[in-house]
Amino acid sequence: MTQKHNSLVEIQNMAFSRGSHVIYEDISLSIPTGKVTAIMGPSGIGKTTLLKLIGGQLNPDKGKVLFDGTDVHQCNRNELFALRKRMSMLFQSGALFTDINVFDNVAFALREHSGLPEAIIRRIVLMKLEAVGLRGAAKLMPTELSGGMQRRAALARAIALEPEIILYDEPFAGQDPISMGVLVKLIRELSDALNLTSVVVSHDVDEVLGIADYVYVLADKRIIAHGTPDELRLADNPQLKQFIEGEPDGPVPFHYPAPDYKKELLSGLD
Amino acid sequence: MGLTEQIAKLGRSAIELVTGLGRAGLMLWGAIAHRPRLKKGLPLLIKQLYVIGVQSMVIILVSGLFIGMVLALQGYNILVGFGTEESLGPMVALSLLRELGPVVTALLFAGRAGSALTAELALMKSTEQLSSLEMMAVDPLRQIIAPRFWAGVISLPLLALMFTAIGIYGGHIVGVEWKGIDSGAFWSILQSSVEWRQDIVNCMIKSLLFAVVVTWIALYRGYHVIPNPEGISRATTQTVVQSSLAVLALDFLLTAMMFGS
């Protein structure tokens, strides 16, 4: 099931739950180096949780998450921080620091970790902002940016330290068609130009299938399908078809589990 | 509710309390138990001193002035009946130094700066800014919590001194300028009554301990908030209520220790 070679991230037989609510029962997957891998699935299935498990922000109940062969959850804090300098995450909200401007947001990690002089940092930041088309917005505060621009500024910040992997958490959520098109193009181009490994968590089927090299689909606490976008489009798994074609009812029911409708309506009428 | 359920509920509350204290302790330990980073830490501290300390000055100074004036007016009305209105100076000064200065400043600080700290941290958590710091391999305890904690600990004693000083000035306005007490008597009796160790140092000790408690509660409530509108609202309220009650209870303990014998 998993690709064993050239994988930057490997998840092996991982289970995770929040209290009594099981999120993953036993999942295994691998993220190939230098490729765009998409993790798809319905809302609330735990896609963001998966990114937090890869980043070591959450601990699995069992199983392993290996980053370049290192078990993320066996690291002490210093080792974990050393690993995180090699990864980057684009949060769904952008998560820009609202008390500093766009330039300082992008420069933040460089100032913390690179030890470079300010003149070099300035040039790097301007280059990153140019890459996402926001060099002109360097002096604006995050609150002065549109949602799409915030996402792009966050992307510039995410690539500032030139990480080996970027974890994208719902990058297209709430974006207008133009912003979405810009983000799709940026993710693909950055991945190709910098030889980045990208993990895109999303439920925007068309956009994701358009840029991903490999796709995993999560549902029912497990991986229900995986393959290239073309393989998934041709698959006859009804649960997968329902998700890809956006049908409201099917193996994933439209209705939340409830008692009999007629009985409930008529109850209490005595 | 049955007896068993009541015992279980009590047990849950006790576990939650102990867990909360443990979390708060770990948070503070993680924030301050490090070698100071002057180059990176100092600008962060200065910014927070401005936000937490300087921006609280207006409410502290205005409140101090009015409380000093009210205290002097009420005091004058009582003292004049005994013909001891010259004692107004020490009455105002000792009331402010020993009790009202540290306590009222801490209560105002909890409402002005404590609630703002909690709301700020809670919003940072709900907008994933704290998570993004973690993912950038930057410890939010050192980057966010530590400068705010130290800024609170430094600011509150200084604000209490300002509150007390302007309160005494307010007492002077009412007693000397308005009611006609002799200015020389007001200041000389005040000076001879106030002791450095007993009054001023104890005022600073109280303020310092209140500063630790209020800032700690505010930071803990913000850092461990449930990141939704209800959670943020609840955390902000809890900061003001819990730190106010803690200040008042701690004040009684400290007063009993300092002035009880």
Side-chain angles (χ1 to χ4, degrees), chain B:
Chain B
M1 191 187 285
L3 183 64
T4 319
E5 283 176 26
Q6 282 184 353
I7 293 170
K9 197 178 168 190
L10 190 68
R12 269 198 300 276
S13 304
I15 289 168
E16 275 173 24
L17 179 70
V18 174
T19 311
L21 286 172
R23 274 188 190 162
L26 285 174
M27 183 199 76
L28 192 63
W29 178 255
I32 65 175
H34 293 286
R35 205 174 48 189
R37 307 175 302 166
L38 278 186
K39 198 178 166 194
K40 283 180 182 167
L42 200 58
L44 294 172
L45 176 63
I46 290 169
K47 185 178 177 188
Q48 291 309 318
L49 280 172
Y50 176 75
V51 174
I52 292 172
V54 176
Q55 291 191 344
S56 301
M57 272 173 63
V58 173
I59 187 173
I60 297 293
L61 291 176
V62 172
S63 307
L65 183 69
F66 282 116
I67 285 179
M69 287 165 75
V70 167
L71 202 57
L73 193 55
Q74 293 285 9
Y76 178 83
N77 287 339
I78 295 168
L79 293 173
V80 79
F82 300 98
T84 54
E85 61 270 26
E86 278 79 14
S87 302
L88 187 67
M91 196 219 81
V92 172
L94 292 178
S95 304
L96 286 167
L97 276 168
R98 290 182 180 183
E99 291 301 330
L100 291 174
V103 173
V104 177
T105 306
L107 295 178
L108 290 169
F109 186 83
R112 160 66 182 78
S115 58
L117 276 177
T118 302
E120 183 194 18
L121 278 173
L123 279 171
M124 287 179 88
K125 186 167 184 180
S126 68
T127 54
E128 297 177 306
Q129 292 180 48
L130 298 178
S131 283
S132 82
L133 275 174
E134 283 264 353
M135 284 305 294
M136 277 191 257
V138 175
D139 187 351
L141 294 178
R142 294 187 72 179
Q143 184 77 20
I144 304 291
I145 301 295
R148 283 161 178 77
F149 177 77
W150 289 121
V153 169
I154 294 168
S155 299
L156 184 48
L158 296 176
L159 290 169
L161 279 185
M162 288 180 202
F163 180 97
T164 305
I166 201 157
I168 293 172
Y169 178 67
H172 180 267
I173 291 174
V174 169
V176 176
E177 310 287 337
W178 181 14
K179 295 295 180 183
I181 296 173
D182 181 64
S183 179
F186 181 91
W187 288 117
S188 63
I189 301 174
L190 184 154
Q191 198 177 353
S192 63
S193 306
V194 173
E195 286 181 27
W196 167 255
R197 171 68 190 81
Q198 176 80 349
D199 301 316
I200 296 173
V201 171
N202 278 345
C203 168
M204 297 305 291
I205 291 171
K206 275 190 175 183
S207 300
L208 195 66
L209 290 171
F210 294 162
V212 170
V213 168
V214 173
T215 316
W216 191 5
I217 290 174
L219 293 173
Y220 170 69
R221 286 288 161 210
Y223 194 70
H224 287 287
V225 71
I226 298 166
N228 59 34
E230 193 190 353
I232 295 172
S233 157
R234 191 157 174 255
T236 316
T237 309
Q238 280 177 325
T239 289
V240 177
V241 172
Q242 291 177 350
S243 41
S244 301
L245 292 176
V247 163
L248 294 171
L250 190 59
D251 182 52
F252 175 73
L253 281 178
L254 290 171
T255 303
M257 285 164 67
M258 291 168 175
F259 304 100
S261 56

Side-chain angles (χ1 to χ4, degrees), chain A residues 111-159:
Chain A
R111 286 175 180 149
E112 282 293 321
H113 298 309
S114 72
L116 292 169
E118 195 59 29
I120 305 282
I121 288 178
R122 180 179 166 273
R123 288 195 179 92
I124 295 173
V125 172
L126 291 177
M127 284 159 67
K128 302 302 176 190
L129 284 172
E130 177 72 12
V132 298
L134 288 180
R135 187 165 48 84
K139 296 294 171 199
L140 295 181
M141 297 301 282
T143 47
E144 295 176 277
L145 304 180
S146 68
M149 288 164 79
Q150 284 186 14
R151 214 66 65 90
R152 281 151 63 193
L155 185 52
R157 186 176 70 174
I159 57 172

Side-chain angles (χ1 to χ4, degrees), chain A residues 174-192:
Chain A
Q175 299 297 308
D176 63 58
I178 297 173
S179 299
M180 201 181 271
V182 170
L183 284 166
V184 166
K185 181 169 164 281
L186 277 172
I187 291 171
R188 187 69 251 184
E189 285 182 0
L190 286 171
S191 180
D192 293 341

Side-chain angles (χ1 to χ4, degrees), chain A residues 2-50:
Chain A
T2 55
Q3 298 176 5
K4 292 292 181 193
H5 303 293
N6 303 321
S7 299
L8 189 58
V9 176
E10 282 228 31
I11 295 177
Q12 298 173 350
N13 307 107
M14 185 182 70
F16 179 76
S17 52
R18 288 182 191 275
S20 58
H21 179 53
V22 178
I23 310 283
Y24 302 123
E25 271 174 352
D26 180 12
I27 64 167
S28 298
L29 59 85
S30 66
I31 309 292
T33 307
K35 303 283 184 195
V36 177
T37 304
I39 313 284
M40 299 177 72
S43 296
I45 204 74
K47 301 189 294 296
T48 303
T49 303
L50 186 66

